Amino acid sequence: MKKILYITLVAGLTFATSCKKGFLDQVPDDRLTLDQTFTTRQTAEKFLANIYSQIPDEFGQRNPNTGRNAGVWTGSSDEAEWVWGFNQCNNINIGSWDANSGFVNDYWNNFYRGIRSASFFIANIDRVTQDITPQLTVQYKNEARALRAMYYFYLARIYGPVVLLGESVIEPDAPTETLRLPRSSFDECINYIVSELDAAAANLPVNASSNDNYGRITKGMALSYKVQALVLAASPLYNGNTDLANLKNKDGKQLINQTFDASKWKRASDAAKAYITQFVPGTYSLFRKNNAAGNFDPYLSCRDLFIDRFNNEIIMTRVESSIGSRQYEMTPYHNGSNSEVRGSAGLGATQNQVDAFFTANGRTIDDPASGYVRTGSTNFQAPGSPIATDTYNQWVNREPRFYVNITYHNSVWLNTRFGNIITQFNNNGNSGKATGGNDYTVTGYAVRKAQGLGNWNEGNRPVILYRVGNLFLDYVEALNESTPGDPDILNYLNQIRQRAGIPQYGSGAGQIPAPADQAAMRQAIRNERRSELAFENVRYFDTRRWKIAETTDNGPIYGLNITQNLPAFFTVIPFETRTFTKRHYLFPIPAKDVNSDDLMVQNPGW
């Protein structure tokens, strides 16, 4: 009997571009036999496109368990909070979730479905005989191989040690609970991911062959996940973490190495350096943009990195994304304004994150030399703003990235097609709690990063999953841990700061003294990550892999007093008390899989 395969794909998934029909732009739902699927190039490509469909759509986090692998990462970190109670981030933040929660099952099921589909594709693509060259067969096979390794990375980042299926060819839609296998150790998982990415990258092109293929896995995309995997493995959560000493298989196999291994950081820094040598600046580079006068503009560089499609800083992306939904969540309510500029501000930035951005002179706000002022207001024209407004002094003279990332009370909205709209977040303001009904910011701030300059209801902009800024910061972190004092640390850290328009670390005129030792540099790097990578789904995993989430994600989280008008609105108050214990460093394995597989062990505390 011939096996029936189900092939389903939404239009334009993953490969569509802004101006051309993308690869598989219109693919109908289909139901094909194995022979039919792997006979023609067209039907095989449909199957491959379904494997691509598991790449996370991180702009879709309002509804994270809808089959697009959108994370719970932004609202479950100390960066942000959602106003809507249905969002699962709110359950995570108060500790109301477990091994039966829907999103816990969804990521596990979806990524394993992608893994099984990739193995199935690799095992059968050689059967295709029509309209395909041997070279293209090799490329497709290695795209699937890289995607499989990437999905293992996503699983390991969420759940810790997982089950490695190897080359087992299992029906893609088989329930995960039908498998009976033990978990591999975390080091085995990382070594497998790295070796698979190396092997796939060796047979992948450096660049997509045409604009219509933008979004297909390339050599640089694959190897960027190698860097990420090695940094994860070297981090405190997995490198000699005795808190996970009891995470063992039923035969006693230790799943987390109990002895710190400094060579893991060296392996990560070497991989990042090799990546930079191979790809930067020839293939990828830090995005820089000039203003109308032809001069370098840090604000435009940091802002337009996310709205200039397909620029050279972007390494990994999902082309088809929920950008319209995300922009609705970032656009304030703006009562009485045109629908193009009327949204919800339902994704609020916390005061914790607001305070993490540097001042204009590149210092943290608690540095006596920062010039930070806690009270009062100033008539201030922010970077990118067409006019000056009466601005609370805490938001005056902050670094350009602050104005790229945060919409604050009395700031001017980006879309000026209907005039200069000034956002008012106080209770009775045009975007306040009393005005917006169910659409308002819980924190008194709205996330702004990646917001376009026009109608929020936009439908075709990719979500960036990894870029050169991430790469440089991964490199300097690993290098500081493996080889403190290496000059590359300041070099690449300062490239990030120079692009951001703040003073560099060093001893020259106008510079800030370099961090004095490894510990001080570690904190400087972490501060830079928090500012540069804000709202890019990095902070959630950083606090966990560093083992600091029991502090950062536990207890009161702060915002402004949104139920009040001025001046009481400016009072910083806790809006939520969050719960984070040691068990929360890892997601639980779905209960159905633990209950059905007598070789599967649960993560500690669940």
Side-chain angles (χ1 to χ4, degrees):
M1 185 175 72
K2 294 183 178 180
K3 183 174 292 185
I4 303 295
L5 301 180
Y6 294 86
I7 302 177
T8 307
L9 186 66
V10 298
L13 185 62
T14 302
F15 304 110
T17 68
S18 61
C19 57
K20 296 184 179 181
K21 290 190 68 174
F23 177 66
L24 300 180
D25 191 56
Q26 295 287 337
V27 180
D29 292 354
D30 214 344
R31 189 170 184 240
L32 304 173
T33 66
L34 176 61
D35 287 342
Q36 290 172 323
T37 300
F38 293 103
T39 299
T40 71
R41 171 179 169 180
Q42 181 183 25
T43 52
E45 284 176 343
K46 293 177 185 179
F47 194 97
L48 178 58
N50 269 334
I51 303 171
Y52 271 92
S53 72
Q54 301 300 340
I55 295 173
D57 174 12
E58 299 294 18
F59 281 154
Q61 293 188 16
R62 190 195 326 171
N63 297 291
N65 64 338
T66 55
R68 299 169 67 87
N69 287 326
V72 289
W73 322 129
T74 299
S76 298
S77 74
D78 59 354
E79 292 179 328
E81 174 80 359
W82 295 90
V83 66
W84 301 294
F86 61 77
N87 185 276
Q88 290 91 336
C89 300
N90 298 322
N91 298 94
I92 291 178
N93 291 336
I94 62 174
S96 180
W97 61 297
D98 57 31
N100 291 299
S101 296
F103 59 90
V104 170
N105 285 271
D106 288 333
Y107 299 128
W108 182 269
N109 293 339
N110 291 345
F111 286 127
Y112 269 116
R113 184 178 297 113
I115 287 166
R116 294 195 303 268
S117 295
S119 295
F120 199 84
F121 181 88
I122 292 167
N124 286 282
I125 183 61
D126 288 323
R127 299 163 60 111
V128 177
T129 59
Q130 297 181 26
D131 192 30
I132 194 168
T133 65
Q135 293 79 13
L136 197 57
T137 298
V138 170
Q139 179 181 328
Y140 285 179
K141 186 178 294 188
N142 283 282
E143 287 178 26
R145 191 174 190 178
L147 287 165
R148 182 175 65 181
M150 289 157 51
Y151 297 156
Y152 273 121
F153 166 76
Y154 285 128
L155 283 169
R157 190 173 64 162
I158 298 169
Y159 300 94
V162 295
V163 176
L164 293 177
L165 301 179
E167 298 303 313
S168 300
V169 179
I170 303 167
E171 186 177 348
D173 289 325
T176 56
E177 60 266 31
T178 62
L179 304 177
R180 185 177 178 274
L181 293 167
R183 298 169 72 176
S184 299
S185 73
F186 195 78
D187 285 345
E188 288 172 337
C189 293
I190 296 300
N191 288 336
Y192 176 79
I193 291 167
V194 168
S195 64
E196 286 294 290
L197 290 169
D198 277 337
N203 295 287
L204 289 170
V206 173
N207 297 299
S209 59
S210 68
N211 285 339
D212 289 346
N213 283 328
Y214 188 86
R216 302 196 73 127
I217 299 301
T218 61
K219 190 184 298 289
M221 291 178 183
L223 292 178
S224 74
Y225 279 81
K226 173 182 175 178
V227 174
Q228 294 176 74
L230 291 173
V231 168
L232 183 66
S235 299
L237 184 60
Y238 298 111
N239 193 356
N241 182 6
T242 56
D243 289 341
L244 294 176
N246 293 326
L247 182 50
K248 301 178 181 179
N249 279 341
K250 293 183 178 180
D251 62 1
K253 179 179 179 176
Q254 192 83 53
L255 297 184
I256 301 293
N257 192 333
Q258 292 301 288
T259 304
F260 171 73
D261 183 356
S263 70
K264 290 183 178 181
W265 282 116
K266 183 68 164 58
R267 189 182 180 196
S269 64
D270 286 349
K273 179 63 172 178
Y275 190 100
I276 292 169
T277 300
Q278 184 173 5
F279 295 106
V280 181
T283 306
Y284 310 109
S285 59
L286 280 180
F287 178 80
R288 295 170 62 89
K289 192 165 190 176
N290 293 340
N291 58 24
N295 300 317
F296 168 67
D297 190 315
Y299 169 80
L300 290 180
S301 298
C302 294
R303 186 194 73 182
D304 292 1
L305 160 61
F306 299 93
I307 58 179
D308 284 7
R309 293 170 174 83
F310 318 132
N311 64 75
N312 284 342
E313 177 150 352
I314 301 171
I315 296 174
M316 180 64 194
T317 185
R318 174 175 170 137
V319 177
E320 187 272 340
S321 73
S322 301
I323 180 60
S325 296
R326 171 52 61 93
Q327 293 197 146
Y328 172 76
E329 297 147 9
M330 297 190 294
T331 303
Y333 191 73
H334 292 149
N335 188 40
S337 296
N338 185 278
S339 60
E340 284 191 21
V341 294
R342 183 169 172 171
S344 68
L347 181 59
T350 65
Q351 186 73 45
N352 308 55
Q353 179 58 43
V354 165
D355 290 347
F357 290 103
F358 299 104
T359 53
N361 63 7
R363 297 176 183 270
T364 57
I365 64 170
D366 56 359
D367 186 328
S370 67
Y372 179 73
V373 179
R374 295 188 179 277
T375 59
S377 65
T378 300
N379 194 47
F380 174 70
Q381 185 170 355
S385 177
I387 59 172
T389 61
D390 185 52
T391 304
Y392 193 43
N393 279 331
Q394 290 189 16
W395 313 323
V396 172
N397 293 326
R398 302 296 291 271
E399 61 160 315
R401 289 177 297 195
F402 171 82
Y403 304 101
V404 169
N405 280 273
I406 302 295
T407 298
Y408 53 88
H409 177 81
N410 261 16
S411 57
V412 180
W413 186 238
L414 290 166
N415 184 347
T416 59
R417 199 162 80 88
F418 306 96
N420 293 323
I421 299 172
I422 298 175
T423 301
Q424 301 166 340
F425 282 138
N426 60 295
N427 190 39
N428 294 120
N430 61 23
S431 303
K433 185 177 188 296
T435 306
N438 292 323
D439 292 336
Y440 62 93
T441 164
V442 176
T443 68
Y445 303 94
V447 174
R448 180 177 280 206
K449 190 175 222 171
Q451 179 73 42
L453 307 181
N455 189 344
W456 66 260
N457 193 15
E458 178 183 357
N460 192 13
R461 181 145 50 86
V463 55
I464 300 173
L465 300 175
Y466 197 73
R467 59 185 179 86
V468 173
N470 300 66
L471 171 67
F472 283 5
L473 288 167
D474 283 349
Y475 176 45
V476 297
E477 179 183 346
L479 193 59
N480 185 58
E481 300 300 332
S482 66
T483 318
D486 189 297
D488 263 7
I489 300 170
L490 277 180
N491 176 18
Y492 287 95
L493 186 60
N494 278 337
Q495 287 188 50
I496 294 288
R497 290 175 68 85
Q498 194 277 335
R499 194 265 298 275
I502 55 176
Q504 301 174 44
Y505 292 116
S507 56
Q511 293 185 327
I512 299 173
D517 53 27
Q518 183 187 34
M521 180 60 78
R522 180 183 299 123
Q523 189 58 52
I525 292 168
R526 291 183 179 187
N527 291 344
E528 204 69 43
R529 289 181 71 91
R530 194 170 185 186
S531 188
E532 174 70 17
L533 304 176
F535 311 119
E536 294 184 54
N537 311 295
V538 172
R539 176 70 176 172
Y540 175 96
F541 295 105
D542 277 353
T543 60
R544 282 149 182 80
R545 67 184 179 86
W546 294 333
K547 288 188 65 182
I548 63 171
E550 289 164 86
T551 299
T552 61
D553 292 54
N554 191 44
I557 302 293
Y558 294 93
L560 300 177
N561 195 348
I562 62 171
T563 64
Q564 301 296 311
N565 289 311
L566 305 181
F569 166 77
F570 294 124
T571 303
V572 174
I573 62 171
F575 66 82
E576 182 175 61
T577 298
R578 294 187 176 177
T579 299
F580 191 98
T581 64
K582 288 189 185 299
R583 77 172 185 169
H584 295 122
Y585 278 108
L586 299 176
F587 267 41
I589 305 299
K592 62 179 177 54
D593 291 85
V594 175
N595 294 337
S596 63
D597 182 354
D598 59 3
L599 297 179
M600 179 78 74
V601 294
Q602 184 56 276
N603 281 330
W606 295 101

